[in-house]
Every structure is written in structure tokens, then in C-alpha cells.
Amino acid sequence: NETKIELKINIDGTGKYDINTGIPFFDHVLSSFAKHGAFDLYIKAEGDLEVDDHHTVEDVGICLGMALDKVEKKNINRFGWAIVPMDEARAMVSIDLGGRPYVVSQYIPKRDKVGDLSTENVKHFFEALANNAKINIHFEVIGENEHHKIEALFKAFGVALDIATRIDERKGVVSTKGVI
């Protein structure tokens, strides 16, 4: 009742994207995620932006997480990490696609909004994504400019996810349990 979202992702893509959430800065950082992760990403979202951006950001995270949960977990690296600088900012992200959702965040916003995106919803986006993708995400962001910090974070997440989803035929299912 809060949002209508259409989302498609190809993790073996080339970085093409077509994104419209109604929140221009959110579109910008999702585009950076797709480009730097080499994912083809299509998102069309209509949310109750007359209320605020919370439901749209959260629900895009949920939908992207649900799509990522469908990724074949056999013969992939499973783990990924990245350190991405952007001017004075730096984001460090590490992820595990091992089926255990959790987010550890060391991102403390210094202002309430960047454009129409509430900075408090950045961590919330990753929590919604992690819970629905069943992945573990750790991230740390430092810097002065909130735009740079958030953009570096989304780029680093894209790079880390690209590494984690790369095929390595030697690995089979990367778990001592035999399943993810």
C-alpha cells in the first residue's frame, strides 16, 4: 500500500542502469552501485513521497534484497570487499553471501538530507537489503561531505558484491555445511 516497485537485476551485466525512484540522489547512488558493480539494474518505484522518503528507500532495499537472494550460491566467491575513496571520503565494505543477515555500520551522518534522501535511511536501506538477501554487510564511512560519503558507500558495495558473486568453478558451495 506504500509503494509500487518494479526491479530487475542482472549480476552478470555490464553496468547498464535505468533507475527512477522519485528521489534523484537515491537514483544517483543506485546508478553508481550498478555501474561500479557491473550489474544491469532497472528500478521503477512509485512511493508515498508526499509523506517522506522512508517507505520508498526501505522497499527498494527489500526488493533488491529479494532479487539478490535468488542468486545461485554455487561456484561463487561468496565473500567480497572493497575500499573506495571519493575526494575526502572513504568507504570500506565487506560482505558475506552466506545466508546469515546482519549489518554492522560505522556511518554517522553529519546532516539530515542529501537532496531529497534522508541520511538516516542509508543504513536502513542496507538493513532492509541484507535481511531480504540474507547477507552480512559491514561498512565504515569517513569523510566530511555527505554526498561523497554516501556515493563512496554505494560504489564500494557494488564492487564488493561484484567480487562476491564472481564465478569460481573450483569452489562448489563455499560452506563447510555444504549449503548456503
Side-chain angles (χ1 to χ4, degrees):
N1 292 331
E2 298 165 342
T3 58
K4 177 182 176 185
I5 298 173
E6 183 180 353
L7 184 145
K8 297 175 190 171
I9 187 167
N10 176 3
I11 63 164
D12 297 317
T14 61
K16 297 177 191 168
Y17 53 86
D18 181 9
I19 300 168
N20 186 350
T21 65
I23 308 166
F25 183 68
F26 190 41
D27 297 349
H28 174 63
V29 294
L30 287 167
S31 299
S32 292
F33 157 76
K35 185 68 173 175
H36 292 277
F39 308 119
D40 294 342
L41 183 60
Y42 172 85
I43 302 173
K44 293 292 180 229
E46 296 176 21
D48 57 356
L49 296 177
E50 69 280 359
V51 175
D52 70 7
D53 61 324
H54 177 90
H55 297 137
T56 301
V57 172
E58 176 181 42
D59 291 353
V60 168
I62 289 169
C63 290
L64 184 55
M66 290 169 66
L68 292 173
D69 187 42
K70 295 177 182 176
V71 169
E72 174 62 50
K73 306 296 190 299
K74 186 176 179 185
N75 296 323
I76 63 167
N77 286 328
R78 177 179 163 178
F79 302 102
W81 54 90
I83 301 172
V84 172
M86 183 169 179
D87 297 342
E88 88 302 337
R90 183 185 69 218
M92 297 186 292
V93 174
S94 56
I95 63 173
D96 174 9
L97 305 183
R100 297 167 64 140
Y102 206 86
V103 173
V104 176
S105 165
Q106 292 183 5
Y107 166 64
I108 301 168
K110 294 183 177 181
R111 68 182 212 223
D112 292 338
K113 284 186 170 264
V114 176
D116 289 335
L117 177 67
S118 301
T119 55
E120 69 184 1
N121 287 330
V122 171
K123 180 180 177 192
H124 191 55
F125 166 81
F126 284 102
E127 290 169 337
L129 188 153
N131 286 331
N132 287 276
K134 300 179 188 88
I135 65 176
N136 186 290
I137 306 170
H138 287 241
F139 60 89
E140 178 182 330
V141 186
I142 60 170
E144 296 301 316
N145 182 296
E146 226 45 54
H147 178 125
H148 295 164
K149 289 163 56 180
I150 295 168
E151 188 169 346
L153 172 58
F154 275 76
K155 287 176 180 178
F157 180 66
V159 172
L161 187 61
D162 180 41
I163 291 167
T165 57
R166 286 187 190 159
I167 299 296
D168 186 339
E169 297 289 338
R170 302 169 302 151
K171 291 190 174 179
V173 175
V174 185
S175 171
T176 55
K177 297 177 185 111
V179 296
I180 292 181

